[in-house]
Amino acid sequence: KYRANILSEAHRMAQLVQELLSLSRLETAARQIMPAKLDTEAFLWEVYETWQPVAAKAGDRLTLRLPDGALPPIRADEDALKQVMAILLSNAVQHTPSGTQIELSAVAAGRTVCLSVADTGPGIADKERAFQTGDASLGLGLSIAQKLVALHHGSITIRDTPGGGATLQVTIPQA
């Protein structure tokens, strides 16, 4: 039992160090992105196929909802945007009660594409503070996600999910 606790804490500390390093690189502008034309639907299917088993293992159900018509391509650094989506989906899996649904979706809006992760967890009470790095209880993930999205000339917002939970929406320019 003690060994498992020690290993769990060591893993948590290693993850925290990685997040601090990521945040430091973003804040010192050491992180460069290489935006390119990206097939939005193919990208979302890849994200979905990566995260669906993770959600299922946690007892959650991840769904992908795409519009009937084709989505336009976006201009993004694929690895950086995957990191953003991993942060959002990891938070959703972690904070969603087992047995509920997480939805990954996208919609074109003007000259942008909005990628959303909606969950039915406890929600985010203080949406303004969620992106701040000074409060250890909030973690660093959303701060990192916000900085990565800003490098894409995009935005990230949080709103309440109808029926409870949080919806995080990433808006990225079309290619």
Side-chain angles (χ1 to χ4, degrees), residues 2-153:
Y2 294 114
R3 184 173 188 263
N5 287 343
I6 290 169
L7 289 173
S8 174
E9 285 301 307
H11 176 72
R12 188 181 68 76
M13 293 301 291
Q15 186 176 6
L16 180 60
V17 168
Q18 287 301 316
E19 288 176 352
L20 285 168
L21 288 171
S22 290
L23 191 58
S24 175
R25 282 190 294 271
L26 289 168
E27 288 180 345
T28 61
R31 171 72 191 256
Q32 300 293 317
I33 64 167
M34 305 288 275
K37 187 176 182 179
L38 185 62
D39 181 322
T40 306
E41 289 184 31
F43 172 78
L44 288 171
W45 273 108
E46 185 176 343
V47 169
Y48 170 78
E49 289 170 351
T50 299
W51 281 90
Q52 190 281 328
V54 176
K57 184 176 180 181
D60 297 324
R61 182 170 172 250
L62 177 62
T63 59
L64 175 61
R65 184 174 49 88
L66 297 173
D68 292 333
L71 284 168
I74 54 177
R75 182 155 179 76
D77 180 307
E78 185 172 2
D79 291 334
L81 194 54
K82 279 183 182 175
Q83 184 177 358
V84 169
M85 300 310 291
I87 290 167
L88 302 186
L89 287 162
S90 176
N91 283 351
V93 168
Q94 183 179 3
H95 299 292
T96 299
S98 184
T100 57
Q101 184 169 315
I102 301 166
E103 182 178 83
L104 174 61
S105 63
V107 64
R111 302 277 310 136
T112 65
V113 174
C114 302
L115 313 175
S116 297
V117 174
D119 70 50
T120 54
I124 300 173
D126 192 345
K127 293 167 188 55
E128 294 299 318
R129 287 185 48 227
F131 297 108
Q132 294 177 0
T133 58
D135 188 337
S137 68
L138 298 173
L140 299 173
L142 291 179
S143 294
I144 293 168
Q146 183 182 47
K147 290 180 186 329
L148 286 170
V149 170
L151 288 173
H152 287 86
H153 306 287

Side-chain angles (χ1 to χ4, degrees), residues 150-165:
L151 288 173
H152 287 86
H153 306 287
S155 63
I156 183 169
T157 58
I158 304 170
R159 66 178 188 275
D160 293 329
T161 300

